[in-house]
Amino acid sequence: MIILDNKFEHFSKSNEVLEKTIISKSLDDTKNLGFSIGNNLSKGNIILLSGDLGAGKTELVRSIVLGSGSDGFVRSPTFVLINNYEGPINITHCDFYRMAENLEVEEIGIEEYFEETATLIEWPERIIKSLNMDCIIIKIYFSENENHRKFSFFSSGNKSKEFIKGLK
């Protein structure tokens, strides 16, 4: 698989460790990956989704929410910043695309969700400097085939490492 070289720069946490890489060859593959993530999700998980526009972040979130047992309708929260989905695991979905870079988590007020819900964050590049906790990091890359994606899973602590190990 050839990964396209584009101008998008994924963020990097100083303590991130590559744990797993998954190749999706179709939208169905991506949905199945999301279902697997959602099925393993628990309160307190923080998942950072990094990828260029159109990489599939929101589509992956849609499948994660369904895989968690919620039947909430997922739409990109780009204009409202945060959407909440109730279910067996309550999920907070954040999209910081329209935010200025280097915002503090406290400025946005999302830290209150971290312990009470599973939190999915698109465009974490905007707030990464203030995310010091253990996070599951998913970096999504385009390939030469329009429908193929490379998903690289990184841990930043013991909890995220165990979560990624549990994915099938």
Side-chain angles (χ1 to χ4, degrees):
M1 171 185 230
I2 298 171
I3 303 303
L4 295 180
D5 183 27
N6 61 17
K7 302 292 184 224
F8 182 78
E9 287 189 38
H10 291 274
F11 71 93
S12 184
K13 285 184 78 165
S14 61
N15 62 338
E16 72 181 35
V17 175
L18 178 62
E19 301 289 347
K20 183 181 286 199
T21 297
I22 296 174
I23 304 299
S24 169
K25 294 184 178 178
S26 68
L27 181 56
D28 283 343
D29 283 354
T30 299
K31 286 180 181 180
N32 288 334
L33 175 59
F35 291 149
S36 177
I37 294 168
N39 192 44
N40 287 296
L41 208 57
S42 61
K43 184 170 74 167
N45 288 137
I46 301 170
I47 300 179
L48 309 180
L49 299 156
S50 177
D52 208 350
L53 285 169
K57 295 179 296 293
T58 303
E59 191 58 51
L60 186 62
V61 167
R62 226 174 247 118
S63 299
I64 292 171
V65 170
L66 290 173
S68 75
S70 173
D71 60 0
F73 175 73
V74 175
R75 62 193 166 284
S76 179
T78 298
F79 293 101
V80 294
L81 301 181
I82 299 172
N83 284 330
N84 293 298
Y85 306 103
E86 293 183 6
I89 301 295
N90 291 329
I91 297 175
T92 301
H93 176 203
C94 309
D95 185 330
F96 297 129
Y97 177 70
R98 299 177 61 80
M99 302 299 289
E101 290 194 27
N102 298 320
L103 284 175
E104 295 293 322
V105 167
E106 295 79 19
E107 289 179 81
I108 303 164
I110 62 167
E111 74 281 359
E112 64 194 59
Y113 297 107
F114 291 160
E115 291 183 23
E116 298 303 317
T117 71
T119 307
L120 311 176
I121 301 176
E122 294 186 47
W123 297 97
E125 295 80 4
R126 306 289 198 252
I127 62 166
I128 193 62
K129 289 187 171 125
S130 64
L131 282 173
N132 297 322
M133 61 285 304
D134 187 355
C135 301
I136 300 144
I137 303 162
I138 305 173
K139 298 181 183 182
I140 307 170
Y141 300 88
F142 288 105
S143 77
E144 79 284 358
N145 184 310
E146 181 179 333
N147 296 317
H148 292 194
R149 298 290 187 272
K150 174 182 166 186
F151 293 86
S152 294
F153 288 76
F154 296 82
S155 64
S156 63
N158 291 331
K159 184 176 179 181
S160 57
K161 183 180 188 81
E162 290 304 311
F163 181 89
I164 294 168
K165 272 187 183 177
L167 293 178
K168 296 177 181 156

